[in-house]
Amino acid sequence: MDHQPRTAKERVARLAFWSIIVAFAVMGMKFAAWWLTGSVALYSDALESIVNVIAAGAAFWAINVSHKPADQDHQFGHHKAEYFSAVLEGVLIVVASLLILAEVFRAWQTPVALEEPGMGLGINAAAAAVNAVWAWLLIRAGRQERSPALVADGKHVMTDVVTSIGVLAGLLGAIATGWVFLDPLLALIVALNILFQGWKVITSSLSGLMDEAVPLDQNIRIREIISTNSKGALEVHDLKTRIAGRATFIEFHLIVDADMRVGDSHAICDRIEEALKAEIPSVRITIHVEPDDEAKLPLGTAAVPFA
């Protein structure tokens, strides 16, 4: 039986779907830990897992939308859909932190001793271990496939892992010392950490929605590729880049001799495009070919100089 290799879309969508299943399983484990102990810190950890479930569902939707081909209404594709998922996830993280703060206030007024702490902490530790492995897989795959939604989901889950480790360590201290006030104090720290992480997710996603340029090192590499493969051209200027999800958009003006044949200038463009596509996955390239009277630098300044 022939097994065709999965496409990038299938790989990312499959991970996003399983992320929903894992999020539900971890949420069940964390609520069981809270139910056994009555700990407000574990309750705050469980509340964040609800956000994980919603965020995983949003990421699955966004990933499927972002891989749709361009159409009449979206002629540049749907790549930015993943950023909306990441922004939503950031907002939900902030909402979770506010819910936890409300619970902290109630618990601070009437602190209670923990019940069945050993079993509850054990279940929560197992949930944290599952989350740690899954977060690592999501972040690695998201970076490989250039999927902002997967990376954001993985980072959020990893934040949940750090939170769980802090809660477990603190509750062990509370059990050892008998200081019940440590429980709501830990929940407060969890809430503030979640609030900070939510803000980071929102701001990084908004950068993508604002057509952020490629990083400096990648910009330098793009210039090197163009220079190496533009033999026959005179100059390149107005190089612009932007990132939209997994896609990178590159646009520039290529100056050639005014007497050059159209076919020859087209061959230069093809050579540059092939070199860029070999280096950068999901790249979209627009080259404006112009005659030498549009040059911005004196002719002969250097071999294919950039203006």
Side-chain angles (χ1 to χ4, degrees):
M1 188 177 183
D2 246 352
H3 289 286
Q4 295 295 329
R6 289 190 178 91
T7 64
K9 174 188 175 181
E10 290 170 337
R11 290 193 298 270
V12 172
R14 186 167 178 264
L15 275 172
F17 172 77
W18 277 103
S19 196
I20 299 172
I21 305 301
V22 172
F24 266 114
V26 170
M27 181 181 71
M29 294 171 73
K30 289 192 174 186
F31 271 103
W34 162 68
W35 182 75
L36 284 169
T37 62
S39 164
V40 69
L42 290 181
Y43 177 68
S44 69
D45 206 7
L47 271 180
E48 189 183 2
S49 66
I50 297 176
V51 178
N52 288 350
V53 171
I54 298 171
F60 181 69
W61 167 83
I63 285 167
N64 280 283
V65 171
S66 72
H67 281 84
K68 287 183 178 179
D71 54 36
Q72 187 61 36
D73 295 326
H74 307 88
Q75 297 179 1
F76 290 93
H78 302 75
H79 307 98
K80 289 188 178 182
E82 293 195 37
Y83 288 119
F84 289 103
S85 166
V87 170
L88 173 62
E89 184 163 351
V91 171
L92 290 173
I93 293 171
V94 171
V95 171
S97 69
L98 296 177
L99 291 173
I100 294 169
L101 286 172
E103 190 63 27
V104 167
F105 179 73
R106 285 193 291 271
W108 201 273
Q109 292 179 318
T110 54
V112 294
L114 302 182
E115 302 172 6
E116 299 290 341
M119 179 69 74
L121 293 183
I123 293 173
N124 212 64
V130 171
N131 263 348
V133 174
W134 191 247
W136 178 77
L137 287 172
L138 287 177
I139 293 171
R140 187 186 67 167
R143 286 172 176 165
Q144 288 176 345
E145 305 294 347
R146 302 188 67 181
S147 170
L150 273 190
V151 172
D153 199 20
K155 286 184 176 179
H156 179 200
V157 175
M158 190 59 79
T159 300
D160 197 16
V161 173
V162 174
T163 297
S164 296
I165 292 172
V167 167
L168 289 169
L171 287 179
L172 286 173
I175 293 167
T177 61
W179 297 344
V180 293
F181 71 85
L182 285 178
D183 187 23
L185 179 61
L186 283 169
L188 175 62
I189 295 171
V190 168
L192 294 177
N193 178 58
I194 293 172
L195 189 63
F196 175 67
Q197 296 300 328
W199 174 251
K200 285 205 303 184
V201 169
I202 292 170
T203 52
S204 63
S205 301
L206 289 177
S207 295
L209 290 172
M210 294 297 291
D211 289 335
E212 188 174 40
V214 301
L216 179 59
D217 59 339
Q218 192 173 359
N219 186 287
I220 292 171
R221 180 60 184 148
I222 289 170
R223 286 172 172 263
E224 290 174 351
I225 293 171
I226 295 171
S227 294
T228 303
N229 294 277
S230 55
K231 183 179 179 181
L234 303 174
E235 177 186 300
V236 171
H237 62 239
D238 291 350
L239 173 64
K240 297 175 183 176
T241 64
R242 67 182 176 93
I243 300 173
R246 68 188 181 283
T248 299
F249 290 82
I250 301 173
E251 176 183 332
F252 59 90
H253 294 202
L254 186 75
I255 303 298
V256 300
D257 191 296
D259 296 327
M260 179 178 282
R261 293 168 50 192
V262 172
D264 293 336
S265 64
H266 190 267
I268 298 173
C269 293
D270 283 346
R271 191 165 63 242
I272 295 171
E273 288 178 0
E274 287 171 8
L276 287 170
K277 287 176 180 177
E279 179 87 10
I280 306 168
S282 300
V283 68
R284 308 288 190 271
I285 307 156
T286 302
I287 305 175
H288 304 273
V289 179
E290 298 180 339
D292 50 28
D293 60 0
E294 295 292 331
K296 294 188 175 182
L297 294 171
L299 293 180
T301 300
V304 197
F306 278 80

